Coordinates of all heavy atoms in Angstrom, one line a residue:
M1 N -5.7 58.6 -1.7 CA -5.9 57.8 -2.9 C -5.6 56.3 -2.5 O -4.7 56.0 -1.9 CB -5.1 58.2 -4.0 CG -5.4 57.4 -5.2 SD -4.4 57.6 -6.6 CE -4.5 59.4 -7.0
S2 N -6.5 55.4 -2.9 CA -6.3 53.9 -2.7 C -6.0 53.3 -4.0 O -6.6 53.6 -5.1 CB -7.7 53.5 -2.1 OG -7.7 52.1 -2.1
T3 N -5.0 52.3 -3.9 CA -4.7 51.5 -5.1 C -4.9 50.0 -4.8 O -4.7 49.7 -3.6 CB -3.3 51.8 -5.5 OG1 -2.4 51.4 -4.4 CG2 -3.0 53.2 -6.0
T4 N -5.2 49.3 -5.8 CA -5.3 47.8 -5.6 C -4.3 47.2 -6.4 O -4.0 47.5 -7.4 CB -6.7 47.4 -6.1 OG1 -7.8 48.1 -5.5 CG2 -6.9 45.9 -5.9
T5 N -3.6 46.3 -5.7 CA -2.5 45.5 -6.2 C -3.0 44.0 -6.5 O -3.4 43.3 -5.5 CB -1.3 45.4 -5.4 OG1 -0.9 46.8 -5.1 CG2 -0.1 44.7 -6.1
H6 N -2.9 43.6 -7.7 CA -3.3 42.2 -8.0 C -2.0 41.3 -8.0 O -1.0 41.7 -8.7 CB -4.0 42.1 -9.4 CG -5.2 42.8 -9.5 ND1 -6.4 42.3 -9.0 CD2 -5.6 44.0 -10.0 CE1 -7.4 43.1 -9.2 NE2 -6.9 44.3 -9.8
T7 N -2.1 40.2 -7.2 CA -1.0 39.3 -7.1 C -1.0 38.1 -8.1 O -0.1 37.3 -8.2 CB -0.7 38.8 -5.7 OG1 -2.0 38.2 -5.3 CG2 -0.5 40.0 -4.7
T8 N -2.3 38.0 -8.7 CA -2.3 36.8 -9.7 C -2.8 37.4 -10.9 O -3.6 38.3 -11.0 CB -3.3 35.7 -9.1 OG1 -4.5 36.4 -8.9 CG2 -2.8 35.1 -7.8
A9 N -2.5 36.7 -12.0 CA -2.9 37.1 -13.3 C -4.4 36.6 -13.5 O -4.8 35.6 -13.0 CB -2.1 36.4 -14.4
P10 N -5.2 37.4 -14.1 CA -6.6 37.0 -14.4 C -6.7 35.8 -15.3 O -5.9 35.7 -16.2 CB -7.3 38.3 -14.9 CG -6.2 39.0 -15.6 CD -5.0 38.7 -14.7
R11 N -7.6 34.9 -15.0 CA -7.8 33.7 -15.9 C -8.6 33.9 -17.2 O -8.6 33.2 -18.1 CB -8.5 32.6 -15.1 CG -7.5 32.0 -14.1 CD -8.1 30.7 -13.4 NE -9.4 30.3 -13.8 CZ -10.3 29.7 -13.1 NH1 -9.9 29.4 -11.8 NH2 -11.5 29.4 -13.4
G12 N -9.3 35.0 -17.2 CA -10.1 35.3 -18.3 C -11.3 34.4 -18.3 O -11.8 34.0 -17.3
D13 N -11.9 34.1 -19.5 CA -13.1 33.3 -19.6 C -12.8 31.8 -19.8 O -13.7 31.0 -19.9 CB -13.9 33.7 -20.8 CG -14.5 35.2 -20.6 OD1 -14.6 35.6 -19.4 OD2 -14.7 35.8 -21.6
R14 N -11.5 31.5 -19.7 CA -11.2 30.1 -20.0 C -11.3 29.3 -18.7 O -10.9 29.6 -17.6 CB -9.7 30.0 -20.3 CG -9.2 28.7 -20.7 CD -7.8 28.8 -21.3 NE -7.2 27.4 -21.4 CZ -5.9 27.2 -21.3 NH1 -5.1 28.1 -21.3 NH2 -5.6 25.9 -21.4
E15 N -12.1 28.1 -18.8 CA -12.2 27.2 -17.8 C -11.3 26.1 -17.8 O -10.8 25.7 -18.8 CB -13.6 26.7 -17.8 CG -14.7 27.6 -17.5 CD -16.1 27.0 -17.4 OE1 -16.2 25.8 -17.1 OE2 -17.1 27.7 -17.8
I16 N -10.9 25.6 -16.6 CA -10.0 24.5 -16.5 C -10.7 23.2 -16.6 O -11.7 23.0 -15.9 CB -9.2 24.6 -15.1 CG1 -8.4 25.8 -15.1 CG2 -8.3 23.4 -14.9 CD1 -7.7 26.1 -13.7
D17 N -10.2 22.3 -17.5 CA -10.7 21.0 -17.6 C -10.2 20.1 -16.6 O -9.0 19.8 -16.6 CB -10.3 20.4 -19.0 CG -10.9 19.0 -19.3 OD1 -11.5 18.5 -18.4 OD2 -10.7 18.6 -20.4
P18 N -11.0 19.7 -15.5 CA -10.4 18.9 -14.4 C -9.8 17.6 -14.9 O -8.8 17.2 -14.3 CB -11.6 18.6 -13.6 CG -12.6 19.6 -14.0 CD -12.4 20.0 -15.4
E19 N -10.3 16.9 -15.8 CA -9.7 15.6 -16.4 C -8.3 15.9 -16.9 O -7.4 15.1 -16.7 CB -10.7 15.0 -17.3 CG -11.9 14.4 -16.6 CD -12.7 13.6 -17.7 OE1 -12.2 13.0 -18.6 OE2 -14.0 13.6 -17.4
A20 N -8.3 17.0 -17.8 CA -6.9 17.3 -18.4 C -6.0 17.7 -17.3 O -4.7 17.3 -17.4 CB -7.1 18.4 -19.4
L21 N -6.3 18.4 -16.3 CA -5.5 18.8 -15.2 C -5.0 17.6 -14.6 O -3.8 17.5 -14.2 CB -6.2 19.7 -14.3 CG -5.4 20.2 -13.1 CD1 -4.1 20.9 -13.5 CD2 -6.2 21.1 -12.2
M22 N -5.8 16.7 -14.2 CA -5.4 15.5 -13.4 C -4.5 14.6 -14.4 O -3.6 14.0 -13.9 CB -6.7 14.7 -13.0 CG -7.4 15.4 -11.9 SD -6.4 15.8 -10.5 CE -5.8 14.2 -9.8
G23 N -4.8 14.5 -15.6 CA -3.9 13.8 -16.5 C -2.5 14.4 -16.5 O -1.5 13.6 -16.5
F24 N -2.4 15.6 -16.5 CA -1.1 16.3 -16.5 C -0.4 16.1 -15.2 O 0.8 15.8 -15.1 CB -1.4 17.9 -16.6 CG -0.1 18.7 -16.4 CD1 0.9 18.6 -17.4 CD2 0.1 19.4 -15.3 CE1 2.1 19.4 -17.2 CE2 1.2 20.2 -15.1 CZ 2.3 20.2 -16.1
I25 N -1.2 16.2 -14.1 CA -0.6 16.0 -12.7 C 0.0 14.5 -12.7 O 1.1 14.3 -12.2 CB -1.5 16.3 -11.7 CG1 -1.8 17.7 -11.5 CG2 -1.0 15.7 -10.3 CD1 -2.9 18.2 -10.7
H26 N -0.7 13.6 -13.2 CA -0.3 12.2 -13.1 C 0.9 12.0 -13.9 O 1.9 11.2 -13.6 CB -1.4 11.3 -13.6 CG -2.6 11.0 -12.6 ND1 -3.1 9.9 -12.3 CD2 -3.1 11.9 -11.8 CE1 -4.1 10.0 -11.5 NE2 -4.1 11.2 -11.1
R27 N 1.0 12.6 -15.1 CA 2.2 12.6 -15.9 C 3.4 13.2 -15.2 O 4.5 12.6 -15.2 CB 2.0 13.2 -17.3 CG 1.2 12.3 -18.3 CD 1.3 13.0 -19.6 NE 0.9 14.3 -19.8 CZ -0.2 14.8 -19.9 NH1 -1.3 14.0 -19.9 NH2 -0.4 16.1 -20.0
V28 N 3.2 14.3 -14.5 CA 4.3 14.9 -13.8 C 4.8 14.0 -12.7 O 6.0 13.9 -12.5 CB 3.9 16.4 -13.3 CG1 4.9 16.8 -12.3 CG2 3.7 17.3 -14.4
V29 N 3.9 13.6 -11.9 CA 4.3 12.7 -10.7 C 5.0 11.4 -11.4 O 6.0 10.9 -10.8 CB 3.0 12.3 -10.0 CG1 3.3 11.2 -9.0 CG2 2.5 13.5 -9.3
G30 N 4.5 10.9 -12.4 CA 5.2 9.7 -13.0 C 6.6 10.0 -13.5 O 7.5 9.3 -13.3
E31 N 6.8 11.2 -14.0 CA 8.1 11.6 -14.6 C 9.1 11.8 -13.3 O 10.2 11.4 -13.3 CB 8.1 12.9 -15.3 CG 7.4 12.6 -16.7 CD 8.1 11.6 -17.5 OE1 9.4 11.6 -17.6 OE2 7.5 10.9 -18.2
V32 N 8.6 12.4 -12.3 CA 9.4 12.5 -11.0 C 9.7 11.2 -10.5 O 10.9 11.0 -10.1 CB 8.6 13.4 -10.0 CG1 9.4 13.4 -8.6 CG2 8.5 14.9 -10.5
G33 N 8.8 10.3 -10.4 CA 9.1 9.0 -9.9 C 10.1 8.3 -10.8 O 11.0 7.6 -10.2
A34 N 10.1 8.4 -12.1 CA 11.0 7.8 -13.0 C 12.4 8.4 -12.7 O 13.5 7.6 -12.7 CB 10.6 8.0 -14.4
S35 N 12.5 9.6 -12.4 CA 13.8 10.3 -12.2 C 14.4 9.8 -10.9 O 15.6 9.4 -10.8 CB 13.6 11.8 -12.0 OG 13.2 12.3 -13.3
L36 N 13.5 9.6 -9.8 CA 14.0 9.1 -8.5 C 14.4 7.7 -8.7 O 15.4 7.2 -8.1 CB 12.9 9.2 -7.5 CG 12.6 10.6 -7.1 CD1 11.3 10.6 -6.2 CD2 13.7 11.4 -6.5
N37 N 13.7 6.9 -9.5 CA 13.9 5.4 -9.7 C 15.4 5.3 -10.4 O 16.1 4.4 -10.2 CB 12.9 4.7 -10.5 CG 13.1 3.2 -10.3 OD1 13.2 2.7 -9.2 ND2 13.0 2.5 -11.3
A38 N 15.7 6.2 -11.2 CA 17.0 6.2 -11.9 C 18.2 6.2 -10.9 O 19.2 5.3 -11.0 CB 17.3 7.4 -12.9
A39 N 18.1 6.9 -9.8 CA 19.1 6.9 -8.8 C 19.1 5.5 -8.1 O 20.2 5.0 -7.9 CB 18.8 7.9 -7.7
L40 N 18.0 4.9 -7.9 CA 17.9 3.5 -7.3 C 18.6 2.5 -8.3 O 19.2 1.6 -7.7 CB 16.5 3.2 -7.0 CG 15.8 4.0 -5.9 CD1 14.5 3.6 -5.7 CD2 16.7 3.8 -4.5
V41 N 18.4 2.6 -9.5 CA 19.1 1.7 -10.5 C 20.5 1.8 -10.4 O 21.3 0.8 -10.3 CB 18.6 1.9 -11.9 CG1 19.4 1.2 -12.9 CG2 17.1 1.7 -12.0
V42 N 21.1 3.0 -10.3 CA 22.5 3.2 -10.2 C 23.1 2.6 -8.8 O 24.0 1.9 -8.8 CB 22.9 4.7 -10.2 CG1 24.4 4.9 -9.9 CG2 22.7 5.2 -11.6
M43 N 22.3 2.8 -7.8 CA 22.7 2.3 -6.5 C 22.6 0.7 -6.5 O 23.6 0.1 -6.0 CB 21.7 2.8 -5.4 CG 21.9 4.2 -5.1 SD 20.5 4.9 -4.0 CE 20.6 3.7 -2.5
G44 N 21.6 0.2 -7.1 CA 21.5 -1.3 -7.2 C 22.6 -1.9 -8.0 O 23.2 -2.9 -7.7
D45 N 23.1 -1.2 -9.0 CA 24.2 -1.7 -9.8 C 25.6 -1.6 -8.9 O 26.3 -2.5 -8.8 CB 24.4 -0.9 -11.1 CG 25.6 -1.4 -11.9 OD1 25.6 -2.6 -12.2 OD2 26.4 -0.5 -12.3
E46 N 25.7 -0.3 -8.3 CA 26.9 -0.1 -7.5 C 27.0 -1.1 -6.3 O 28.1 -1.4 -6.0 CB 27.0 1.3 -7.1 CG 27.2 2.3 -8.2 CD 28.6 2.3 -8.8 OE1 29.5 2.1 -8.0 OE2 28.7 2.5 -10.0
L47 N 25.9 -1.3 -5.7 CA 26.0 -2.3 -4.5 C 26.0 -3.7 -4.8 O 26.2 -4.5 -3.9 CB 24.8 -1.9 -3.7 CG 24.8 -0.5 -3.0 CD1 23.5 -0.2 -2.3 CD2 25.9 -0.3 -2.1
G48 N 25.8 -4.1 -6.2 CA 25.9 -5.4 -6.5 C 24.5 -6.1 -6.4 O 24.5 -7.4 -6.5
Y49 N 23.5 -5.4 -6.2 CA 22.1 -6.1 -6.1 C 21.7 -6.8 -7.3 O 21.2 -7.9 -7.3 CB 21.1 -5.1 -5.6 CG 21.3 -4.5 -4.2 CD1 20.6 -3.3 -3.8 CD2 22.1 -5.2 -3.2 CE1 20.7 -2.9 -2.5 CE2 22.2 -4.7 -2.0 CZ 21.5 -3.5 -1.6 OH 21.7 -3.1 -0.3
Y50 N 21.9 -6.1 -8.4 CA 21.4 -6.7 -9.7 C 22.3 -8.0 -10.0 O 21.7 -8.9 -10.5 CB 21.6 -5.7 -10.9 CG 20.5 -4.6 -10.8 CD1 20.8 -3.3 -10.7 CD2 19.1 -5.0 -10.9 CE1 19.9 -2.4 -10.6 CE2 18.2 -4.0 -10.9 CZ 18.5 -2.7 -10.8 OH 17.6 -1.7 -10.7
R51 N 23.6 -7.9 -9.7 CA 24.4 -9.1 -10.0 C 23.9 -10.3 -9.2 O 23.8 -11.4 -9.7 CB 25.9 -8.8 -9.7 CG 26.6 -7.9 -10.8 CD 28.0 -7.8 -10.5 NE 28.3 -7.0 -9.3 CZ 28.3 -5.6 -9.3 NH1 28.0 -5.0 -10.4 NH2 28.6 -5.0 -8.2
E52 N 23.6 -10.2 -7.9 CA 23.1 -11.1 -7.1 C 21.7 -11.7 -7.5 O 21.5 -12.9 -7.3 CB 23.0 -10.8 -5.6 CG 24.4 -10.5 -5.0 CD 25.3 -11.8 -5.0 OE1 24.7 -12.9 -4.8 OE2 26.5 -11.7 -5.2
L53 N 20.9 -10.9 -8.0 CA 19.5 -11.2 -8.4 C 19.5 -11.8 -9.9 O 18.5 -12.4 -10.2 CB 18.5 -10.1 -8.2 CG 18.3 -9.7 -6.8 CD1 17.6 -8.4 -6.8 CD2 17.5 -10.7 -6.1
A54 N 20.6 -11.6 -10.6 CA 20.6 -12.0 -12.0 C 20.3 -13.5 -12.3 O 19.8 -13.9 -13.3 CB 22.0 -11.5 -12.7
G55 N 20.8 -14.3 -11.3 CA 20.6 -15.7 -11.5 C 19.2 -16.2 -11.4 O 18.9 -17.4 -11.6
G56 N 18.3 -15.4 -10.9 CA 17.0 -15.7 -10.8 C 16.5 -16.3 -9.5 O 15.3 -16.7 -9.4
E57 N 17.5 -16.5 -8.6 CA 17.2 -17.0 -7.3 C 16.4 -16.1 -6.5 O 16.8 -14.8 -6.5 CB 18.4 -17.5 -6.6 CG 18.2 -18.0 -5.2 CD 19.5 -18.3 -4.5 OE1 20.6 -18.2 -5.1 OE2 19.4 -18.7 -3.4
A58 N 15.4 -16.5 -5.8 CA 14.5 -15.6 -5.0 C 15.3 -15.4 -3.6 O 15.8 -16.3 -3.0 CB 13.1 -16.2 -4.7
L59 N 15.3 -14.1 -3.3 CA 16.2 -13.7 -2.1 C 15.3 -12.8 -1.2 O 14.5 -12.0 -1.7 CB 17.4 -12.9 -2.5 CG 18.5 -13.6 -3.3 CD1 19.6 -12.7 -3.7 CD2 19.0 -14.8 -2.6
T60 N 15.5 -13.0 0.1 CA 14.9 -12.1 1.1 C 15.9 -10.9 1.2 O 17.0 -10.9 0.7 CB 14.8 -12.7 2.5 OG1 16.1 -13.0 3.0 CG2 13.9 -14.0 2.5
P61 N 15.4 -9.7 1.7 CA 16.4 -8.6 2.0 C 17.5 -9.0 2.8 O 18.6 -8.5 2.5 CB 15.4 -7.5 2.7 CG 14.0 -7.9 2.3 CD 14.0 -9.4 2.1
A62 N 17.3 -9.8 3.8 CA 18.5 -10.2 4.6 C 19.5 -11.0 3.8 O 20.7 -10.9 4.0 CB 18.1 -11.0 5.9
E63 N 19.0 -11.9 3.0 CA 19.9 -12.8 2.1 C 20.7 -11.9 1.0 O 21.8 -12.0 0.9 CB 19.2 -13.8 1.4 CG 18.6 -14.9 2.3 CD 17.5 -15.7 1.6 OE1 16.9 -15.3 0.7 OE2 17.3 -16.9 2.1
L64 N 19.9 -10.9 0.5 CA 20.6 -10.0 -0.5 C 21.6 -9.2 0.2 O 22.7 -9.0 -0.3 CB 19.6 -9.1 -1.2 CG 20.1 -8.1 -2.2 CD1 20.8 -8.8 -3.3 CD2 19.0 -7.3 -2.7
A65 N 21.3 -8.6 1.4 CA 22.3 -7.8 2.2 C 23.5 -8.7 2.6 O 24.5 -8.2 2.5 CB 21.6 -7.2 3.4
G66 N 23.3 -9.8 3.0 CA 24.4 -10.7 3.4 C 25.3 -10.9 2.3 O 26.5 -11.0 2.5
R67 N 24.8 -11.2 1.1 CA 25.7 -11.5 0.0 C 26.4 -10.2 -0.6 O 27.4 -10.4 -1.3 CB 24.8 -12.0 -1.2 CG 24.3 -13.5 -0.9 CD 23.5 -14.0 -2.0 NE 22.9 -15.3 -1.7 CZ 22.4 -16.1 -2.7 NH1 22.3 -15.7 -3.9 NH2 21.8 -17.2 -2.3
T68 N 25.9 -9.1 -0.3 CA 26.5 -7.9 -0.8 C 27.2 -7.0 0.2 O 27.7 -6.0 -0.1 CB 25.4 -7.0 -1.6 OG1 24.4 -6.7 -0.6 CG2 24.8 -7.8 -2.8
G69 N 27.1 -7.4 1.5 CA 27.7 -6.7 2.5 C 27.1 -5.4 2.8 O 27.7 -4.4 3.2
T70 N 25.8 -5.3 2.7 CA 25.0 -4.2 2.9 C 24.0 -4.4 4.1 O 23.9 -5.5 4.5 CB 24.2 -3.7 1.7 OG1 23.3 -4.7 1.3 CG2 25.2 -3.3 0.5
D71 N 23.3 -3.4 4.4 CA 22.3 -3.5 5.5 C 21.0 -4.1 5.1 O 20.5 -3.7 4.0 CB 22.1 -2.1 6.2 CG 21.3 -2.2 7.3 OD1 20.0 -2.0 7.3 OD2 21.8 -2.3 8.5
A72 N 20.4 -5.0 5.8 CA 19.1 -5.6 5.4 C 18.0 -4.6 5.2 O 17.2 -4.7 4.3 CB 18.7 -6.7 6.3
R73 N 17.9 -3.6 6.0 CA 16.9 -2.6 6.0 C 17.0 -1.8 4.7 O 16.0 -1.6 4.0 CB 17.1 -1.6 7.2 CG 16.4 -0.2 7.0 CD 14.9 -0.4 7.5 NE 14.1 0.8 7.2 CZ 13.9 1.8 7.8 NH1 14.4 1.9 9.0 NH2 13.2 2.8 7.4
Y74 N 18.2 -1.4 4.2 CA 18.4 -0.7 3.0 C 18.1 -1.6 1.8 O 17.5 -1.2 0.8 CB 19.6 0.0 2.9 CG 19.8 1.1 4.0 CD1 21.0 1.0 4.8 CD2 18.9 2.0 4.1 CE1 21.1 1.9 5.8 CE2 19.0 3.0 5.1 CZ 20.1 2.9 6.0 OH 20.3 3.9 6.9
A75 N 18.5 -2.9 1.9 CA 18.3 -3.8 0.8 C 16.8 -4.0 0.6 O 16.2 -4.0 -0.5 CB 19.0 -5.1 1.2
G76 N 16.0 -4.2 1.8 CA 14.6 -4.3 1.7 C 13.9 -3.1 1.1 O 12.9 -3.2 0.3
E77 N 14.3 -1.9 1.5 CA 13.8 -0.7 0.9 C 14.0 -0.6 -0.6 O 13.1 -0.3 -1.4 CB 14.3 0.6 1.6 CG 13.9 0.7 3.0 CD 12.4 1.0 3.2 OE1 11.7 1.5 2.3 OE2 12.0 0.7 4.4
W78 N 15.2 -1.0 -1.0 CA 15.5 -1.0 -2.5 C 14.7 -2.0 -3.2 O 14.2 -1.7 -4.3 CB 17.1 -1.3 -2.6 CG 17.5 -1.2 -4.0 CD1 17.9 -0.1 -4.7 CD2 17.6 -2.3 -5.0 NE1 18.2 -0.5 -6.0 CE2 18.0 -1.9 -6.1 CE3 17.4 -3.7 -4.8 CZ2 18.2 -2.7 -7.2 CZ3 17.5 -4.5 -5.9 CH2 18.0 -4.0 -7.1
L79 N 14.6 -3.3 -2.6 CA 13.8 -4.2 -3.3 C 12.3 -3.8 -3.4 O 11.7 -4.0 -4.5 CB 13.9 -5.6 -2.5 CG 15.2 -6.3 -2.5 CD1 15.2 -7.4 -1.5 CD2 15.4 -6.9 -4.0
N80 N 11.8 -3.3 -2.4 CA 10.4 -2.7 -2.5 C 10.2 -1.8 -3.5 O 9.2 -1.8 -4.3 CB 10.0 -2.2 -1.1 CG 9.7 -3.4 0.0 OD1 9.4 -4.5 -0.4 ND2 9.9 -3.0 1.2
A81 N 11.1 -0.8 -3.6 CA 11.0 0.2 -4.7 C 11.1 -0.4 -6.0 O 10.3 0.1 -7.0 CB 12.0 1.3 -4.5
Q82 N 12.0 -1.4 -6.2 CA 12.1 -2.0 -7.6 C 10.9 -2.8 -7.9 O 10.4 -2.8 -9.1 CB 13.3 -2.8 -7.6 CG 14.6 -2.0 -7.5 CD 14.8 -1.0 -8.6 OE1 14.9 -1.3 -9.7 NE2 14.8 0.3 -8.1
A83 N 10.3 -3.5 -7.0 CA 9.1 -4.4 -7.2 C 7.9 -3.6 -7.4 O 7.0 -4.0 -8.1 CB 9.0 -5.3 -6.1
A84 N 7.9 -2.3 -6.9 CA 6.7 -1.5 -6.9 C 6.6 -0.7 -8.2 O 5.7 -0.1 -8.6 CB 6.6 -0.6 -5.8
D85 N 7.7 -0.7 -9.1 CA 7.7 0.1 -10.3 C 6.7 -0.4 -11.2 O 6.7 -1.5 -11.7 CB 9.1 -0.1 -10.9 CG 9.3 0.8 -12.2 OD1 8.3 1.4 -12.5 OD2 10.4 0.8 -12.7
R86 N 5.7 0.4 -11.5 CA 4.5 0.1 -12.3 C 4.8 0.1 -13.8 O 4.0 -0.4 -14.6 CB 3.3 1.0 -12.1 CG 2.8 0.9 -10.7 CD 1.6 1.8 -10.5 NE 1.9 3.1 -11.1 CZ 1.5 4.2 -10.8 NH1 0.7 4.3 -9.7 NH2 1.8 5.4 -11.3
R87 N 6.0 0.5 -14.1 CA 6.3 0.7 -15.6 C 7.0 -0.6 -16.0 O 7.8 -0.6 -17.0 CB 7.3 1.9 -15.8 CG 6.6 3.2 -15.6 CD 7.5 4.3 -15.7 NE 8.6 4.3 -14.8 CZ 8.6 4.6 -13.5 NH1 7.5 5.1 -13.0 NH2 9.7 4.5 -12.7
G88 N 6.8 -1.7 -15.4 CA 7.4 -3.0 -15.8 C 8.8 -3.2 -15.0 O 9.8 -3.4 -15.7
G89 N 8.7 -3.1 -13.8 CA 9.9 -3.2 -13.0 C 10.7 -4.4 -13.1 O 10.2 -5.4 -13.6
A90 N 11.9 -4.4 -12.8 CA 12.8 -5.5 -13.0 C 12.6 -6.6 -12.0 O 13.0 -7.7 -12.2 CB 14.3 -5.1 -12.9
L91 N 11.9 -6.3 -10.9 CA 11.7 -7.3 -9.9 C 10.3 -7.5 -9.5 O 9.5 -6.7 -9.8 CB 12.5 -6.8 -8.7 CG 14.0 -6.6 -8.7 CD1 14.5 -6.0 -7.4 CD2 14.7 -7.7 -9.2
R92 N 10.0 -8.7 -9.0 CA 8.6 -9.0 -8.6 C 8.7 -9.8 -7.4 O 9.6 -10.5 -7.0 CB 7.8 -9.7 -9.6 CG 8.5 -11.1 -10.0 CD 7.8 -11.7 -11.2 NE 8.5 -12.7 -11.9 CZ 8.6 -14.0 -11.3 NH1 8.0 -14.3 -10.2 NH2 9.4 -14.9 -11.9
H93 N 7.6 -9.6 -6.5 CA 7.6 -10.4 -5.3 C 7.3 -11.9 -5.6 O 6.3 -12.1 -6.4 CB 6.5 -9.9 -4.4 CG 7.0 -8.6 -3.7 ND1 7.9 -8.5 -2.7 CD2 6.5 -7.2 -3.9 CE1 8.1 -7.3 -2.3 NE2 7.3 -6.5 -3.0
G94 N 7.9 -12.8 -5.0 CA 7.6 -14.2 -5.2 C 6.6 -14.7 -4.3 O 6.2 -14.0 -3.3
P95 N 6.2 -16.0 -4.4 CA 5.2 -16.5 -3.5 C 5.8 -16.9 -2.1 O 5.0 -17.0 -1.2 CB 4.9 -17.8 -4.2 CG 6.1 -18.2 -5.0 CD 6.7 -16.9 -5.4
G96 N 7.1 -16.8 -1.9 CA 7.6 -17.1 -0.5 C 7.5 -15.9 0.4 O 6.9 -14.8 0.0
L97 N 8.0 -16.0 1.5 CA 7.9 -15.0 2.5 C 8.9 -13.9 2.3 O 10.1 -14.0 2.6 CB 8.1 -15.5 3.9 CG 7.1 -16.5 4.4 CD1 7.6 -17.1 5.7 CD2 5.8 -15.9 4.5
G98 N 8.5 -12.8 1.7 CA 9.4 -11.7 1.4 C 10.5 -11.9 0.4 O 11.5 -11.2 0.4
R99 N 10.3 -12.9 -0.5 CA 11.4 -13.1 -1.4 C 11.1 -12.4 -2.7 O 10.0 -12.3 -3.1 CB 11.5 -14.7 -1.7 CG 12.0 -15.5 -0.6 CD 12.2 -16.9 -0.9 NE 12.6 -17.6 0.3 CZ 13.9 -17.7 0.7 NH1 14.8 -17.1 0.1 NH2 14.2 -18.3 1.8
T100 N 12.2 -11.9 -3.3 CA 12.0 -11.2 -4.6 C 12.8 -11.8 -5.7 O 13.9 -12.3 -5.5 CB 12.5 -9.7 -4.4 OG1 11.8 -9.2 -3.2 CG2 12.3 -8.8 -5.6
H101 N 12.2 -11.9 -6.8 CA 12.8 -12.5 -8.0 C 13.1 -11.5 -9.0 O 12.5 -10.5 -9.1 CB 11.7 -13.4 -8.7 CG 11.3 -14.6 -7.8 ND1 11.9 -15.8 -7.9 CD2 10.2 -14.6 -7.0 CE1 11.2 -16.5 -7.0 NE2 10.2 -15.8 -6.4
S102 N 14.1 -11.7 -9.8 CA 14.6 -10.8 -10.9 C 13.8 -11.3 -12.2 O 13.3 -12.4 -12.3 CB 16.0 -10.8 -11.1 OG 16.5 -12.1 -11.4

C-alpha cells in the first residue's frame, strides 16, 4: 500500500495578488530596518556622536571619531546609516567631501 504525504497546505482557489504581496514585503523590510536603526540611535547617543553633531558643524568621519575617541571606520559606518535613513534621518550629507550635517 502506498501513501502520499503532503508537506504544504493547499492554497485552494485563492490567487496571490503580487502587488499586495510586494507591499507587505516592503513594510516588513521597513520595520526590520527601523528596528536595526534603533540600536544605532542608542549607540550614537552612548558614543557622543549626537552631542558632537548637535552644533550643526559639518564633520568628516575622522573628525567625529577624533572628537569622541572612537574609530573613524565605525564613525563613518554610523554616519552613513544615519544619513541613509529614508524616514527623515537626523543627518544629511553636506556639499563638502564626506562631511555630514545634523
